[in-house]
Amino acid sequence: RHRFWETQPVGQFRDLGDTSLPEGPIEAPTPLSDVRRDPYNLPAQYEWTTCDIDDDHTCTEVYNLLTQNYVEDDENMFRFNYSMEFLRWALRPPGYFKSWHIGVRAKASQKLVAFITGVPARIRVRDDVVKWRRSTFLCVHKKLRSKRLAPVMIKEVTRRVHLENIWQASYTAGVVIPTPISTCRYWHRSLNPKKLIDVGFSRLGARMTMSRTVKLYKLPESTVTKGFRKMELRDVPAVTRLLKEYLRQFAVAPDFDQDDVEHWLLPLENVVDSYLVESPETHEITDFCSFYTLPSSILNNPNYSLLKAAYSYYNVSTKTPLQQLMNDALIVAKKNDYDVFNALDVMQNESFLKELKFGPGDGHLHYYLYNYRIRKALHPSELGLVLL
Ligand code: MYA
Ligand code: JJ1
């Protein structure tokens, strides 16, 4: 049933529940000298290109390809619209490899028609810290779908990752392939209910009027937690310590050092926002919350073209109740004109979703590991990992 994925070192559906199989890598690394030297073959009209994301022209080409062809919801009403600044941030973390930003061009027109990337990361699975590749932005132009281009691209990126002596990867997708380690649900908190209803993102509830709905989702003007402020560069060591300690409780989580925290969590305008609570007495950093900015294009609406969405990222509470912390995050997002605040049911998020008036969405996100077996699917709350 999965012509490609059945040939790959990933957990297979038929192995589900087979407790005799060990957890850990499925295939041992091969000697680097055995890794294929030449790129995989593409159909004759196409050629490989390495996308230099520093270059404005190339970055614009990638942006345009994704904005017109990347992920949509099941009714094709919305499509992710990652900004150029976001792409640059997501694709250039500490130690990134340019050779992993792979494009496919049509030879004749030189048009960019497909893209796949990876960035390096250290991820812990239970007690095992492994070097991984985090994978995103697999995209094939709508006109070239179903021609088995995706498997060639996945094999090519895998080859280039192997050349760096890395043998595992983590990725998420909206589709089910062999075999999810966990399946999460998206939840949505309306911040601008009128616009969300106008564009078909949400519906007026039964026995609800617009004015009652607006009132239901109303938020205070300013945050309530004392000592709540934006994260700054000087906070990197304290935030790293806080996060490291907090993420230990999850079965799968990133292993962040200070450089990673500086890159992935220091605020970057219109890309990532991070706030923390500094105790007014001891000046200790006790809590942390963050979200990233990922707008969606609104397809076919006469009045609106962009939905401004915030996505819950990493949150840590040690003193401030998580629910209060997240309510402050909602207040900040509302103040900054976001239309909706989205979250997955990962980590401890279930503890505040209903209380803070998030509602379940119609989308799921499946988490995967490449060349790493885990025996039994995890509950979303065992995941301490958020991929972009
Ligand atoms: S998830 C986001 C994916 N992108 C989109 O959804 C954007 C819109 N869609 C498209 O651009 C195309 O539909 C794509 C497929 C490109 C997705 N992940 O070429 P095909 C399998 C993995 O004829 P197309 C993200 O970015 C499918 O099951 N496999 O199909 C994370 C079938 O295989 P099989 C997928 O529709 C990506 C085969 O491809 C996905 O023209 C992680 C069909 O190929 C998917 N999202 O193109 C990638 N969708 O027959 C894996 C379909 O077996 C990385 N397929 O069922 C693995 C780690 C590699 C590194 C390892 C290092 C050690
Ligand atoms: O955004 C999503 N769904 C929305 C819009 C649905 C439009 C019709 N299909 C949704 N809205 C309801 C909100 C409502 C607000 C008030 C309270 C009750 C709820 O459900 C969904 C997620 O739910 N998004 C998608 O489907 C986009 C694709 C998700 C897969 C992403 C794969 C990414 C891979 C990157 O690694």
Side-chain angles (χ1 to χ4, degrees):
R1 267 198 49 243
H2 290 282
R3 229 179 344 124
F4 170 65
W5 282 108
E6 279 167 13
T7 68
Q8 298 297 298
V10 294
Q12 298 295 335
F13 291 132
R14 63 173 173 277
D15 300 336
L16 277 179
D18 184 342
T19 48
S20 68
L21 295 167
E23 295 212 330
I26 295 169
E27 280 177 7
T30 51
L32 282 188
S33 54
D34 289 358
V35 178
R36 179 183 165 130
R37 290 284 124 180
D38 314 313
Y40 282 88
N41 292 326
L42 283 169
Q45 318 86 288
Y46 304 106
E47 63 188 23
W48 296 112
T49 176
T50 297
C51 292
D52 179 0
I53 226 77
D54 294 331
D55 177 69
D56 283 337
H57 178 71
T58 313
C59 193
T60 306
E61 288 183 295
V62 170
Y63 170 80
N64 287 335
L65 174 73
L66 295 179
T67 299
Q68 287 153 28
N69 301 280
Y70 200 51
V71 177
E72 299 177 7
D73 67 295
D74 62 353
E75 290 166 284
N76 313 101
M77 296 172 68
F78 306 96
R79 191 187 307 126
F80 286 149
N81 188 330
Y82 289 89
S83 68
M84 298 238 280
E85 305 80 70
F86 192 111
L87 293 173
R88 289 209 160 107
W89 170 69
L91 296 178
R92 294 185 305 180
Y96 78 97
F97 300 98
K98 281 195 172 165
S99 62
W100 293 6
H101 302 161
I102 308 174
V104 173
R105 289 189 192 279
K107 277 183 188 163
S109 63
Q110 284 298 295
K111 190 178 148 81
L112 185 70
V113 296
F115 189 60
I116 188 167
T117 62
V119 295
R122 286 180 320 284
I123 294 172
R124 179 181 55 74
V125 181
R126 304 202 203 277
D127 296 321
D128 197 6
V129 179
V130 201
K131 268 199 193 170
W132 300 77
R133 158 183 177 272
R134 287 173 37 163
S135 171
T136 42
F137 305 122
L138 166 61
C139 184
V140 169
H141 195 285
K142 289 189 177 211
K143 295 206 167 122
L144 299 178
R145 296 276 167 89
S146 306
K147 297 180 188 301
R148 311 300 299 182
L149 211 53
V152 186
M153 298 176 69
I154 293 169
K155 282 192 274 186
E156 178 59 14
V157 77
T158 302
R159 186 184 72 81
R160 297 192 197 190
V161 172
H162 285 167
L163 287 172
E164 305 297 341
N165 201 17
I166 294 177
W167 306 89
Q168 268 74 34
S170 61
Y171 46 104
T172 53
V175 296
V176 178
I177 45 179
T179 299
I181 62 158
S182 189
T183 292
C184 301
R185 186 186 267 275
Y186 282 97
W187 290 68
H188 308 279
R189 173 37 161 109
S190 303
L191 301 174
N192 187 354
K194 182 166 185 320
K195 175 171 169 185
L196 295 181
I197 291 167
D198 285 350
V199 302
F201 187 90
S202 64
R203 269 187 238 144
L204 211 51
R207 293 179 305 279
M208 284 293 276
T209 61
M210 188 61 86
S211 65
R212 281 178 67 195
T213 306
V214 169
K215 203 167 145 206
L216 174 68
Y217 290 116
K218 207 157 179 56
L219 286 160
E221 273 298 306
S222 42
T223 57
V224 304
T225 309
K226 294 217 168 40
F228 188 88
R229 63 165 173 84
K230 224 180 177 111
M231 177 189 176
E232 297 172 19
L233 186 58
R234 64 184 163 103
D235 300 315
V236 166
V239 169
T240 307
R241 264 179 280 151
L242 193 67
L243 203 59
K244 251 191 180 321
E245 179 56 34
Y246 180 77
L247 291 175
R248 278 172 48 176
Q249 65 186 297
F250 303 106
V252 179
D255 179 39
F256 280 146
D257 64 19
Q258 293 197 16
D259 291 339
D260 300 317
V261 167
E262 182 174 336
H263 180 84
W264 290 118
L265 295 168
L266 198 61
L268 184 63
E269 207 178 327
N270 290 320
V271 174
V272 59
D273 275 280
S274 298
Y275 291 83
L276 47 74
V277 182
E278 176 178 343
S279 155
E281 293 89 37
T282 63
H283 297 287
E284 208 189 333
I285 309 296
T286 55
D287 312 275
F288 177 83
C289 64
S290 58
F291 56 86
Y292 60 87
T293 300
L294 167 52
S296 283
S297 304
I298 303 171
L299 311 174
N300 312 318
N301 185 281
N303 302 317
Y304 298 100
S305 58
L306 208 64
L307 190 74
K308 194 172 170 190
Y311 285 76
S312 171
Y313 195 29
Y314 291 95
N315 310 305
V316 180
S317 104
T318 70
K319 291 269 155 56
T320 310
L322 186 58
Q323 189 175 318
Q324 179 182 329
L325 191 69
M326 294 311 295
N327 198 51
D328 278 344
L330 294 176
I331 292 168
V332 174
K334 172 69 193 168
K335 253 209 134 40
N336 287 298
D337 231 34
Y338 289 83
D339 298 314
V340 62
F341 195 103
N342 300 333
L344 293 163
D345 49 3
V346 296
M347 294 186 261
Q348 297 174 330
N349 292 357
E350 269 190 315
S351 71
F352 64 76
L353 291 170
K354 289 203 177 106
E355 290 76 2
L356 294 181
K357 300 174 186 157
F358 285 74
D362 61 6
H364 291 275
L365 189 65
H366 309 278
Y367 277 68
Y368 300 94
L369 301 177
Y370 185 91
N371 194 20
Y372 203 96
R373 184 187 297 112
I374 65 153
R375 213 167 279 140
K376 186 167 161 289
L378 302 171
H379 191 268
S381 64
E382 295 178 273
L383 291 177
L385 179 66
V386 179
L387 302 177
L388 307 169

